[in-house]
Amino acid sequence: MEPYLGKNNHTLLHKTSKFVLYLSFGLILLALSYPIFLFKYSSKSSSFSYGHIHKPIIDDNQSITSVISDNEERQEFCDIFSGEWVPNPQAPYYTNKTCWAIHENQNCQKYGRPDSDYMKWRWKPNDCDMPVFNPAQFLEIVRGKSLAFVGDSVARNQMQSLICLLSRDSQIVYPIDASPTKDEHFKRWRYETYNFTLSTYWTPHLVRSEESDDNGPTHTGLFNLYLDEFNQDWATQIEHFDYVIISGGHWFMRPMVFYEKGKIAGCHYCQLDGIKDLTMYYGYRKAFRTAFKAISSLKNYKGVTFLRTFAPSHFENGQWNEGGNCLRTKPFKSNETTLEGFNMEFYMIQLEEFKTAEKEAKKNGLKFRLMDTTPATLLRPDGHPSRYNHWPHEKVTLYNDCVHWCLPGPIDTWNDFLLQMLKMEGIRSAQEKLHSSDRKMRIR
C-alpha cells in the first residue's frame, strides 16, 4: 500500500518513479545485444503478423514501454503453424557443399536425387509473413545460453539443420566439437564467439530402455521400456540448459515390452506368451508423461521447454518394410491431405500430455511451449531421402527413408519456428520484468 504524501507530492513521486523505471528498463533492453522484432497488427485478420525483418522492436520514435503496452492491448497473435507452402526461388540458403554438418543419410543431393524443387519452398502462415532465418540474429538471441535437442535421429536431423542455417553467414565461425564423449549420439558444439552451446541427447524412447533382442518379431529389435523411470542419460544433463527441445515418435512402432513399478505391464507387438498387447499408444503416452515429469522435477532447471510435435512419415504403396516409398516432388496444399491413422494418434497424445504437463509446470514457475510443426510437416511428402541416402552400387540393406528429411529441406522451417518463438520469449520476459518492477515500486 502506497504511503500518502499529499496530492502534489504523491503525483510528482509517482511520475518521477515511473520515469526512472521506464528509462532504466529501456536502457537495459537497449544494452542487450540481440534485437527482438516487432509484430504488426493486421485489422483484416484480427491477428498479429510478423513485421519486417529489419524493423527493431524499439524504433526511432517508440519506447520499449509503448511497444509492450501495445502488445498487451492487442493480445492476439498470428498462428505461425497454420498456413501453406509457397514457392521460394531464393532458397536454399546453404548446400551440401557449404555445410559439413549434414548426416550422410540425409545428404540427398550428394547421393543423386535428380530434382531440386523440394528445396525451393517456404512456409507462409495464413495471417502473417514469417521472415527467413537470420543466423546473426539467432546467435545474438542465444548469446551466453545453451540449447539441447532431446530425442531420436529426427531431433538430430533438426540440430544439423540449425548448424547449416547458421553456417550461411560467412562471418560466423563454425562451432567447435566440445562433446564429452566419442559417442555420436551425444554431441556438443560450442560457438565460442557467442558463448553458445548446442547439444543433442539420444533417447529414442525418452524413458529408460534397453534392447532385449536385436531381432524381435519384426526383425527391428525388441525393446524393454521402463515407462515410469527417467532416462538418466539426458535427464541428469539438462538442468542448467536455457532451452530444451524434446521430441519423439517413430521408435515406438517397434516391438516393445512395457515395465511399470519394476514389473511387466504389457507390450506392443511383442508376441510373447501371457503378455497383454497394450498397443504402442500406451507406451507413447506414458513415455511422454514421464519425460515431462523428469524435466519438471529438476530442482535447478529454469529453462524453457519446447515440445516439437510429431513429424509424420509419408510412405505410399506399402509400409516401410513392404516396399513403401515417397517419390512426390512437391508439397501438398492443406486441403489435399489430412492427418490420420497413427500420425493423428501420436499427435493427439502429445497435445494431451503437453497440456497437462504445461499446467503442472506453471505451478513450479516453469515454461513449457508447443512447437507445433506437425501441420506444416504433414504437407511435405517431397522432403524425404527415399533411396537417395547411399550410392546405388553400394551393397547395403536399407529401406526407402520416408521418415528423415533431406538437408537442405522442409525441416529448415522448424528452425524458422524456433527463432520466432525465441523472439516471443524475449517479449514475454520483458513484460514480466516490467510488471514485476512496477509492482515492487508501488508497495514502497
Side-chain angles (χ1 to χ4, degrees):
M1 183 175 182
E2 282 187 294
Y4 182 70
L5 301 176
K7 182 176 181 181
N8 293 334
N9 288 337
H10 178 278
T11 302
L12 179 59
L13 177 60
H14 182 70
K15 288 183 177 180
T16 302
S17 300
K18 294 286 284 189
F19 174 77
V20 171
L21 168 65
Y22 292 157
L23 178 61
S24 300
F25 191 73
L27 289 173
I28 290 171
L29 285 186
L30 283 171
L32 293 176
S33 56
Y34 68 86
I36 306 171
F37 291 85
L38 265 180
F39 293 87
K40 182 176 62 179
Y41 183 70
S42 168
S43 59
K44 292 182 180 180
S45 62
S46 297
S47 64
F48 271 110
S49 64
Y50 288 102
H52 297 297
I53 191 74
H54 299 297
K55 189 173 183 181
I57 193 168
I58 306 174
D59 63 25
D60 293 338
N61 300 308
Q62 192 172 30
S63 69
I64 180 64
T65 51
S66 67
V67 172
I68 294 175
S69 177
D70 288 346
N71 286 342
E72 290 173 335
E73 289 175 5
R74 292 165 188 168
Q75 290 298 314
E76 294 185 74
F77 300 88
C78 170
D79 178 3
I80 60 174
F81 305 115
S82 297
E84 300 282 356
W85 291 94
V86 298
N88 182 22
Q90 286 76 39
Y93 298 100
Y94 65 90
T95 71
N96 65 314
K97 294 181 179 179
T98 64
C99 182
W100 52 265
I102 301 174
H103 193 280
E104 286 292 282
N105 291 343
Q106 285 91 58
N107 199 338
C108 306
Q109 289 296 301
K110 174 181 177 179
Y111 290 109
R113 179 163 176 168
D115 61 311
S116 60
D117 285 349
Y118 69 93
M119 297 185 288
K120 298 181 179 296
W121 298 85
R122 69 177 179 86
W123 181 249
K124 169 66 174 67
N126 290 328
D127 297 322
C128 59
D129 282 314
M130 188 164 65
V132 171
F133 187 90
N134 185 319
Q137 183 189 41
F138 180 91
L139 286 172
E140 288 296 347
I141 290 175
V142 298
R143 183 184 287 274
K145 298 183 183 298
S146 53
L147 167 63
F149 289 91
V150 175
D152 56 20
S153 53
V154 180
R156 181 193 64 203
N157 209 172
Q158 183 182 1
M159 184 195 73
Q160 291 166 343
S161 162
L162 179 57
I163 292 175
C164 288
L165 287 168
L166 292 173
S167 75
R168 63 176 287 215
D169 189 329
S170 60
Q171 295 183 350
I172 294 175
V173 178
Y174 274 115
I176 63 170
D177 188 342
S179 304
T181 172
K182 293 183 179 180
D183 189 340
E184 290 296 313
H185 289 135
F186 303 92
K187 297 294 292 184
R188 179 176 299 167
W189 303 96
R190 280 191 58 78
Y191 288 82
E192 291 288 326
T193 304
Y194 295 87
N195 190 25
F196 170 55
T197 301
L198 184 63
S199 299
T200 180
Y201 293 95
W202 167 262
T203 173
H205 297 111
L206 299 177
V207 296
R208 185 167 83 85
S209 65
E210 61 188 12
E211 188 174 33
S212 59
D213 183 347
D214 60 5
N215 192 27
T218 62
H219 309 294
T220 58
L222 176 64
F223 297 85
N224 293 336
L225 270 64
Y226 300 88
L227 295 176
D228 51 0
E229 297 184 31
F230 301 161
N231 182 343
Q232 302 297 333
D233 289 342
W234 66 268
T236 59
Q237 301 299 312
I238 65 165
E239 192 160 18
H240 299 291
F241 274 80
D242 297 286
Y243 308 107
V244 173
I245 301 176
I246 189 169
S247 60
H250 294 282
W251 278 74
F252 287 83
M253 299 176 191
R254 304 186 184 203
M256 301 171 287
V257 176
F258 304 135
Y259 285 79
E260 295 181 86
K261 297 181 179 179
K263 298 180 180 180
I264 294 177
C267 75
H268 163 61
Y269 201 69
C270 63
Q271 295 189 346
L272 297 176
D273 292 338
I275 300 180
K276 183 179 180 180
D277 195 319
L278 298 175
T279 79
M280 60 185 173
Y281 305 123
Y282 179 89
Y284 193 66
R285 183 182 295 279
K286 287 296 186 74
F288 266 100
R289 188 174 299 176
T290 298
F292 287 140
K293 286 180 180 178
I295 296 172
S296 294
S297 69
L298 297 173
K299 293 182 179 180
N300 297 313
Y301 179 65
K302 304 298 180 184
V304 181
T305 303
F306 299 92
L307 168 63
R308 198 266 297 153
T309 58
F310 184 68
S313 59
H314 291 92
F315 290 100
E316 295 186 81
N317 300 315
Q319 296 300 316
W320 64 272
N321 58 348
E322 299 172 346
N325 210 340
C326 40
L327 300 175
R328 294 181 184 268
T329 57
K330 66 178 183 179
F332 288 126
K333 292 187 178 299
S334 59
N335 62 357
E336 293 177 338
T337 188
T338 57
L339 195 64
E340 56 188 9
F342 71 85
N343 289 325
M344 171 65 86
E345 289 293 331
F346 277 176
Y347 178 58
M348 293 307 298
I349 288 171
Q350 282 186 324
L351 296 185
E352 291 164 5
E353 292 302 316
F354 174 82
K355 184 177 180 180
T356 300
E358 180 189 29
K359 189 178 299 183
E360 289 301 312
K362 282 183 178 179
K363 296 177 182 178
N364 298 324
L366 296 179
K367 302 173 183 177
F368 278 34
R369 310 293 188 220
L370 187 70
M371 188 186 297
D372 192 4
T373 58
T374 303
T377 310
L378 173 67
L379 304 182
R380 295 307 305 270
D382 56 321
H384 300 285
S386 179
R387 62 178 177 271
Y388 301 107
N389 54 9
H390 63 282
W391 297 115
H393 64 269
E394 289 182 300
K395 294 181 179 180
V396 294
T397 303
L398 289 176
Y399 298 100
N400 296 319
D401 187 351
C402 302
V403 172
H404 298 93
W405 301 89
C406 296
L407 294 179
I411 67 166
D412 291 329
T413 294
W414 294 357
N415 291 312
D416 291 340
F417 290 147
L418 174 60
L419 177 52
Q420 299 308 314
M421 296 182 79
L422 293 180
K423 292 178 188 178
M424 281 305 303
E425 286 305 313
I427 291 176
R428 288 190 181 102
S429 178
Q431 289 175 328
E432 290 170 0
K433 289 178 181 178
L434 177 61
H435 294 166
S436 176
S437 297
D438 190 45
R439 284 193 297 270
K440 290 177 181 178
M441 179 168 288
R442 287 181 180 277
I443 63 173
R444 286 176 182 169

